[in-house]
Amino acid sequence: NLCVYCGSGPGNDPDYREAALALGKAFAGEGLGLVYGGGNVGLMGSVARSVLDHGGHVTGIIPDFLLSRERLLDDVQDTVIVPD
């Protein structure tokens, strides 16, 4: 597994999203699992969605206080909610 934490926003350049999608595809293609921040938006969401779309495994880790502020990506195989 590899851990990726990046923006919960899309960034200012569409190339960022394309890079995030390519990274997710590469992870899945190499059989590497993704560990990330758990959300379904922004660059983090793009990486995670791409891993899933290409048959990979995703673990989302999110602090409890963010549950009310962020939308979780429900399709991940594992979600871990931590106190802080």
Side-chain angles (χ1 to χ4, degrees):
N1 291 324
L2 292 174
C3 180
V4 172
Y5 281 87
C6 50
S8 60
N12 295 326
D13 187 330
D15 288 343
Y16 297 153
R17 183 171 185 275
E18 291 304 315
L21 295 173
L23 180 63
K25 181 178 180 180
F27 272 33
E30 293 296 322
L32 297 169
L34 170 69
V35 178
Y36 85 117
N40 72 350
V41 296
L43 297 177
M44 282 198 296
S46 293
V47 173
R49 172 59 54 204
S50 183
V51 171
L52 292 168
D53 288 348
H54 293 92
H57 187 274
V58 176
T59 300
I61 300 176
I62 188 165
D64 183 51
F65 72 90
L66 285 179
L67 287 174
S68 63
R69 297 181 200 172
E70 295 209 15
R71 289 190 56 162
L72 293 178
L73 182 57
D74 294 327
D75 298 336
V76 303
Q77 290 89 348
D78 296 303
T79 298
V80 179
I81 301 169
V82 295
D84 57 24

